Amino acid sequence: MSTHLQTFFSGQWRDGSGTLYSTEYPATGEVVAQLHASTAQDVDEAVRFAEAARHQPDWAKLMPHQRAAILHKMAALIREKSEELAALQRLDNGKPVKECRALVASAAGTFQYFAAVCETFESSVTPQRGDFLTMSLYQPLGVVGAITPWNSPIASEAQKIAPALAAGCAVVIKPAEITPRMAIEFARIGEQAGLPQGILSVLPGKGSVVGDALVKHPLIKRIAFTGGTNVGLGIAELAAKKLMPVSLELGGKSPTIVCADADLDHAVAGVIYGIFSSSGESCVAGSRAFVHASVYEEFKRRLLAQTAKLRVADPALESTHMGPLISKSHRESVERYVALALEEGGKLLCGGKRPAGDAGYYYEPTIFEGLPNTSRTAQEEIFGPVLCLLPWESEEDLIAQANDNDYGLACGIWSQDYKTALRLGSAITAGTVWVNTYKLFSISTPFTGYKMSGLGREKGAASIMEYMMQKSFYWGTNAQPLPWSQS
Ligand code: NAD
C-alpha cells in the first residue's frame, strides 16, 4: 500500500512544488510512498523562512538549558516511537529490522548527548597577555544545510540535526531522494517537542536540484554532507566560492588486517560483520581483508563456513542477517563489479549472484581471492556485499598495500599483541581504527575520513563548535589612555 507523504517547510506540512515521485520497498520492489519533490524555489523559501525564524525570540532567546530541554524531548519521542521509526526506516531502504532498531537507538542517544553538550558548553576566558582580558564567545552560524545518503538516514541525519540545534542554528535537511521518511519524521518529532516553526525543514528531491540549490544559497552558512566522494568534491568546490565551511563524510574502501597471532574465530566474525552487515552498503565496510599468509588458508576455510550460514532474507524477520540492496540500479552496479572482478582474474569463492526465487533486490555475500590490491575491484568502493581476500607476509608490504588506496575512512586490526595493533593502526591512513572489533560507534568519539574519505568531523562534544562562530572580545583594563597618541 502506497502512502502519500507530505513534507514540512516554512513552518507548514505541505507538498513540495515539484513533480510527484515514488519510493519503493527494496525487499519487494513495491511502491510504498509518493511525494512531490522540492524545487529550487522551495529551497529559497524554506531558507529565508528559517533565517527569519532563527532570529525570533522563541528560538534566539532560549537559554542553553531550554534548547537542551527540546533536544531531550526529541530523544524521548524517538525512543517512544522506536518501533514505528524502525519499520519506516526499513520500508525506505530495506535494512533488517534489527539494524533499523539499533540506528533508531543511536539517533535517540545522539539527541540526548547533544542536549548535554548544549547545556554544559562553556565559553572561555583566555590567558591575559597585557592590559586587557580576552574572551571567546560562540554564536550560532545561522541556517545550515544537511545533505544525507540513503544507507543509514536516521543516524546520519541525527548527527547533523542535533549538534546544529544544540548550537542554536536552524536546519534545512535534504535527505536522499529515495529515503525521505526519517527526515520527515524528525520534522514531526521536532514539532511535537516544541521546536519553533522554521527551525527544522525538510526538502526531499534530487541532489542536482535541491541539494545544489541548498549549497549555493547565500543564507546557508554551512553544509554537513554525507555521501559519495564525487558529489562531496562538487560541494566542496561550490562551498569554496562562498568561503562556506563544510563537513564531508564520504566513501571508503577499508582494509581489515588479520595478523598471524589473531584469534581466528573473532577475526572471522569481525570481518563478516564488517563487510556483510547492511549488505555491505556501509561507508566503513571492511571490503579488503589482508590475511597473514601463515593463517590464510585456515582463515579462508572458517570464513567461508561462517558466510554460508548467513541468512539473506526478508528484512522484516528478526533472524535476517542481510536484507536486499537499496535498488534495482544499485544491484546492477554491484553485479557489474562482480563481472569486472572475474575479468580481472579474481577467483570467486562464494556468492556472485542473486539468491534464487526472491522478488526484491537481494544479492548473496560474495568473496573473491586472487586479485591484486591494484585491481579496480580492490580499489573502488562497491558499496555492496563483496569482499576481496588478500594475503600478506611482511608488515612493510602490508602497510604499503593497505594505504595504496584513494580512501582513508577506517581500518580493522585483528591481533593479540597490543604493540602490533598500535604499530599497524598508527601506520594506516584512516580516520577510525578498530582493534579486535569492527563497526562499533560512539557518539562521544569523533568520526572523520582521511584522504578522499572526507573533510571535517562529526560527533564528539567539540563538534557543536562546527555550528558556531567564535568571536574574540578584548576588554581593556588600562589605568591610563592608550599610549600611542600620548607621547
Ligand atoms: P550520493 O553522493 O549519491 O548522495 C548523497 C546525497 O547527496 C543525496 O541526498 C543526494 O541527493 C545528494 N546529492 C547528489 N548530487 C548532489 C549535488 N550535485 N549537490 C548536492 N547534493 C547532491 O551518495 P549515496 O549514493 O546516497 O550514498 C552512498 C555514498 O555515501 C557512499 O559513497 C558511501 O560511502 C557514502 N557514505 C559515507 C558515510 C560516511 O560517514 N563517511 C556514511 C554513509 C554513506
Side-chain angles (χ1 to χ4, degrees):
M1 201 188 67
S2 165
T3 313
H4 182 85
L5 296 178
Q6 281 201 313
T7 191
F8 188 71
F9 65 96
S10 306
Q12 286 170 33
W13 286 98
R14 55 199 274 195
D15 289 327
S17 319
T19 50
L20 189 67
Y21 75 96
S22 348
T23 69
E24 52 180 45
Y25 183 35
T28 59
E30 281 169 87
V31 169
V32 283
Q34 291 199 308
L35 65 163
H36 284 272
S38 309
T39 59
Q41 287 73 33
D42 292 343
V43 172
D44 185 51
E45 184 193 323
V47 173
R48 289 184 190 286
F49 193 90
E51 175 64 13
R54 80 180 188 91
H55 290 292
Q56 296 302 311
D58 60 358
W59 186 242
K61 296 280 181 218
L62 288 187
M63 294 290 112
H65 66 280
Q66 293 169 316
R67 277 206 309 276
I70 295 178
L71 291 169
H72 273 302
K73 201 150 181 204
M74 289 182 78
L77 286 166
I78 294 168
R79 289 201 174 99
E80 238 174 82
K81 295 168 180 242
S82 61
E83 269 309 297
E84 183 194 337
L85 292 171
L88 291 175
Q89 172 75 104
R90 175 173 58 78
L91 275 184
D92 256 5
N93 70 2
K95 258 185 200 276
V97 64
K98 268 193 193 163
E99 275 187 41
C100 292
R101 278 194 204 112
L103 290 174
V104 172
S106 104
T110 298
F111 277 88
Q112 182 179 323
Y113 179 81
F114 280 105
V117 174
C118 173
E119 186 154 2
T120 55
F121 182 81
E122 289 180 359
S123 299
S124 51
V125 176
T126 39
Q128 204 165 355
R129 293 180 68 88
D131 289 338
F132 52 83
L133 282 174
T134 50
M135 180 174 104
S136 286
L137 279 193
Y138 293 87
Q139 295 177 316
L141 267 185
V143 185
V144 298
I147 302 181
T148 54
W150 44 260
N151 64 325
S152 301
I154 189 156
S156 51
E157 284 157 13
Q159 280 167 31
K160 295 167 175 57
I161 299 169
L165 295 180
C169 293
V171 186
V172 178
I173 179 154
K174 206 298 281 173
E177 192 182 13
I178 51 177
T179 56
R181 287 179 198 252
M182 291 299 108
I184 291 174
E185 290 310 310
F186 276 128
R188 202 178 321 279
I189 285 166
E191 194 183 28
Q192 289 165 358
L195 271 186
Q197 288 186 345
I199 296 303
L200 179 58
S201 303
V202 180
L203 298 174
K206 280 198 186 307
S208 55
V209 177
V210 185
D212 184 68
L214 197 58
V215 175
K216 288 177 179 160
H217 200 288
L219 289 172
I220 288 288
K221 297 301 178 199
R222 179 179 202 278
I223 290 284
F225 173 78
T226 300
T229 295
N230 283 339
V231 176
L233 286 173
I235 289 175
E237 229 173 273
L238 290 173
K241 291 195 176 129
K242 287 166 66 175
L243 282 185
M244 171 177 72
V246 287
S247 56
L248 305 171
E249 304 282 358
L250 309 177
K253 189 79 183 181
S254 299
T256 43
I257 296 166
V258 180
C259 296
D261 68 345
D263 179 319
L264 286 194
D265 285 334
H266 281 231
V268 164
V271 167
I272 284 189
Y273 178 59
I275 180 66
F276 296 133
S277 59
S278 309
S279 301
E281 294 172 328
S282 165
C283 54
V284 294
S287 44
R288 294 182 294 153
F290 290 94
V291 183
H292 193 267
S294 64
V295 292
Y296 183 88
E297 287 303 324
E298 180 55 19
F299 178 85
K300 182 170 85 177
R301 189 185 66 72
R302 295 193 207 181
L303 177 73
L304 291 174
Q306 206 56 36
T307 303
K309 294 183 193 158
L310 294 179
R311 288 179 291 272
V312 183
D314 182 349
L317 300 176
E318 301 287 334
S319 57
T320 291
H321 290 111
M322 287 169 60
L325 298 178
I326 182 74
S327 64
K328 185 167 181 282
S329 64
H330 186 57
R331 182 169 65 175
E332 286 165 1
S333 153
V334 171
E335 287 173 331
R336 281 195 294 278
Y337 270 110
V338 169
L340 172 72
L342 291 168
E343 270 169 40
E344 289 186 309
K347 180 175 167 203
L348 182 65
L349 298 177
C350 68
K353 59 182 182 347
R354 306 172 180 190
D358 272 315
Y361 310 123
Y362 295 89
Y363 201 74
E364 288 187 0
T366 298
I367 303 177
F368 279 100
E369 69 173 355
L371 286 163
N373 182 59
T374 48
S375 63
R376 275 185 59 203
T377 314
Q379 285 291 316
E380 297 177 16
E381 185 183 46
I382 299 175
F383 219 56
V386 181
L387 174 68
C388 293
L389 276 186
L390 301 117
W392 63 277
E393 286 185 53
S394 82
E395 259 189 41
E396 199 186 356
D397 179 48
L398 163 76
I399 291 166
Q401 288 197 61
N403 284 341
D404 177 20
N405 191 270
D406 287 343
Y407 296 111
L409 195 55
C411 165
I413 297 169
W414 299 88
S415 168
Q416 303 202 53
D417 176 23
Y418 75 91
K419 297 187 289 304
T420 304
L422 189 59
R423 198 168 57 245
L424 289 177
S426 306
I428 304 295
T429 39
T432 296
V433 175
W434 284 292
V435 178
N436 294 325
T437 187
Y438 205 79
K439 227 175 156 180
L440 291 186
F441 293 106
S442 154
I443 185 63
S444 54
T445 306
F447 185 77
T448 186
Y450 285 14
K451 302 193 283 188
M452 295 309 255
S453 287
L455 184 72
R457 272 163 196 75
E458 283 194 349
K459 309 204 290 185
S463 67
I464 192 172
M465 285 193 267
E466 304 281 333
Y467 293 92
M468 292 170 156
M469 233 159 8
Q470 184 268 352
K471 188 175 279 184
S472 302
F473 271 72
Y474 285 72
W475 298 89
T477 56
N478 324 45
Q480 306 297 327
L482 287 171
W484 186 73
S485 61
Q486 304 293 311
S487 53

